[in-house]
Every structure is written in C-alpha cells, then in structure tokens.
Amino acid sequence: MNVGLPRPYPDLLRAPELVLARGGQLGRPMHLLGFTSSTNDDAKRASKEGAPHGATWVAEQQSAGRGRQGRSWVSPHGEGLLFSVLLRVSCPPARVPPLALAAGLAVRDAVARAAPAADVRIKWPNDVLVDGRKLAGVLVEAITAGSRVQAVVVGIGINVHTRVFPDELEGRATSVARVATTPPDRAELLADVLGTLDADAHLVVGRGLGLLRRRLEAADGLRGRRVRSEAGGSTDEGIASGIDDDGRLVVTRDDGVRVRWSAGEVHLV
Ligand code: BTN
C-alpha cells in the first residue's frame, strides 16, 4: 500500500466515463495520478513506448511541472486540472504553433462554458485570461523524426479551485472558482477540453487555423491592444491586429507596417 502518496480525488474518477460518453478519441486511455514529476514527461516517455493517440495523463500534483519560457508551473494539490494528452499527428513543424493555439482555444471555450458570465480570453500565444489575470496555460512539446513531427504532447494547467494565490501571483492569477457562479466540476471541464480539442486538432493539422478563425477572433484578448515583444535581444512594439492562419501574431507598428511575431513573450503596454 502506498501510504502517504497522494491519490486523485474522487471527482476526477468520473472523467473517463464522461470522455467515453462523448465518443471522442482523446482521453482514452486516461491515467489518473495522485502525484508525478510532470504529466508532459509522462506523455513523452510513453510516446516512445508506443502509447496510442489520445492517451492522457492527469495529476493532482507535480514536483517538476513546466511552463513555457523555462518557467515552472506550481499548483496546490487537488486544486487545479493538470494534464497532458498525446496527439499522434504527422505534420510539418509549422503546424505546431496553430495546434497550440487550438489547445488554448479549447481551454478558453470550456472555461467560458463553465463560467458563462466571465469574459474569458486568449492571450497569444497560449494563455487563458479573465480580466487580465491568468487562469490557464498550455505547453506544447513536439516529438520529431527528421524534419517531421511524429507526435505532439499538449500539456494544460488550469487553475480550478484555488481562491487564494501566493502574494507574488495575487493580482495576476485567477481560477474558475473565482469567476464562475457555480462550483466548477473538474471532470466536466477535462472532458469538455478534450472533446473540443479532438475535433479542432484534426482541422488544424489538415488545414491550418482557418476553420477556427471566427472563434479565435472572438476570443483574442490582445486584438486592438498595444503590445511589446522582447525577443532575441530586440524590442518591437505596435497594435495587435489578429492572429494569422500559421498562428503568428499580426502587429501593426506605429509607421503602419504590419509585422508577424512567431514566438516569444508579449507584454501589454
Ligand atoms: C504556461 O502557461 O507556461 C504553460 C503551463 C503548462 C502547465 C501544464 S500542467 C500539466 C502539464 N505538465 C507540465 O509539466 N506542464 C503542463
């Protein structure tokens, strides 16, 4: 018996049957873990061992949860929804940023359904915000063979039940519980994200972001806002003017020139 090892809370145990009821491919099989180092690492390891498309790892707590830009992702035990799904997609590397955007959009839409009164937005490239505070993040890691992507691990962290954040995050972070009027249901949220991503990932891998354009534009939290990027030692600034079909942020500089940012961190000015 694993005395002292955290286990998944019972609310999550319903997730596999909800996923099954929707009939999609993602979330099957679903590995529910009390504790792990990083669900992205679990998925990457399992992908080498032949895990199928859709296999998903969900953990109550991670000892080495990773975010983008080398940051860590910390979530108190049982309060968040921390999971990674393995997508066995064969595509050129250029399809990975659009896939990551589709994942962010799936999270955004699921949170918006759980909290209909909240203004849930995407902050390019992969953050989900409410009133400028981060509620969820996405970390996508590609597994390549030669010049092609063989599989993609989509790692998602959603603040669900947390009401009090550490001082350094207070004012910058929020959770579903804080913005919803009814108590959030993690199993429903998980099944919803996986169901939406299941449908959208196929579209994006085959045809790019074009078919998600309307939803993406409606959810774009940067559009019309002044943004600055500090990538590779140089600074660029302008008005965010949308996201193109390759997942790049379109920015109009003050001289009217339109540029496209493909990576990096964006700051609101
Ligand atoms: C970010 O906003 O920087 C992305 C955060 C992604 C965190 C999730 S939690 C589940 C999965 N496992 C990880 O180690 N990271 C992702």
Side-chain angles (χ1 to χ4, degrees):
M1 199 165 74
N2 284 327
V3 178
L5 248 191
R7 298 207 227 171
Y9 283 121
D11 66 321
L12 277 180
L13 302 181
R14 219 162 52 89
E17 88 198 39
L18 292 179
V19 159
L20 219 63
R22 283 174 177 253
Q25 285 184 295
L26 307 191
R28 303 162 65 174
M30 186 180 292
H31 305 277
L32 294 173
L33 313 166
F35 183 83
T36 190
S37 53
S38 155
T39 55
N40 265 39
D41 289 343
D42 293 332
K44 279 161 74 174
R45 200 177 312 116
S47 106
K48 290 193 197 124
E49 292 158 6
H53 175 77
T56 298
W57 288 258
V58 190
E60 291 291 12
Q61 197 173 1
Q62 302 179 119
S63 56
R66 286 198 300 282
R68 289 185 304 108
Q69 313 271 335
R71 286 189 290 256
S72 57
W73 182 270
V74 181
S75 178
H77 181 250
E79 293 189 12
L81 192 47
L82 315 173
F83 63 102
S84 301
V85 53
L86 177 65
L87 304 181
R88 289 222 174 262
V89 289
S90 170
C91 62
R95 282 285 197 250
V96 176
L99 252 182
L101 269 154
L105 189 59
V107 175
R108 182 265 157 207
D109 287 354
V111 171
R113 283 187 278 268
D119 185 16
V120 193
R121 298 291 176 129
I122 286 183
K123 177 176 174 255
W124 183 90
N126 294 128
D127 289 347
V128 176
L129 310 187
V130 174
D131 298 332
R133 296 176 183 209
K134 182 158 169 170
L135 187 147
V138 178
L139 172 69
V140 168
E141 297 181 304
I143 298 154
T144 50
S147 63
R148 269 190 94 72
V149 172
Q150 263 189 335
V152 167
V153 170
V154 178
I156 294 174
I158 307 177
N159 300 327
V160 182
H161 292 303
T162 307
R163 287 197 171 269
V164 180
F165 289 91
D167 287 349
E168 65 276 16
L169 291 181
E170 191 52 67
R172 291 194 290 131
T174 192
S175 66
V176 185
R178 274 197 181 185
V179 301
T181 48
T182 50
D185 180 326
R186 294 191 301 166
E188 292 277 2
L189 209 49
L190 176 56
D192 194 350
V193 174
L194 290 173
T196 306
L197 182 59
D198 197 5
D200 292 347
H202 289 297
L203 298 177
V204 170
V205 169
R207 299 162 70 175
L209 275 173
L211 291 169
L212 309 189
R213 173 134 311 284
R214 259 185 1 155
R215 276 166 58 213
L216 201 55
E217 278 177 8
D220 184 353
L222 292 183
R223 202 181 181 89
R225 308 281 304 271
R226 189 162 192 85
V227 288
R228 179 185 297 150
S229 143
E230 278 143 25
S234 66
T235 305
D236 205 355
E237 199 172 306
I239 303 294
S241 315
I243 295 164
D244 73 11
D245 284 357
D246 296 321
R248 295 174 298 188
L249 186 70
V250 181
V251 176
T252 310
R253 290 184 182 143
D254 293 344
D255 58 8
V257 173
R258 284 195 153 202
V259 290
R260 285 154 204 271
W261 297 348
S262 49
E265 199 70 353
V266 176
H267 305 281
L268 283 167
V269 181

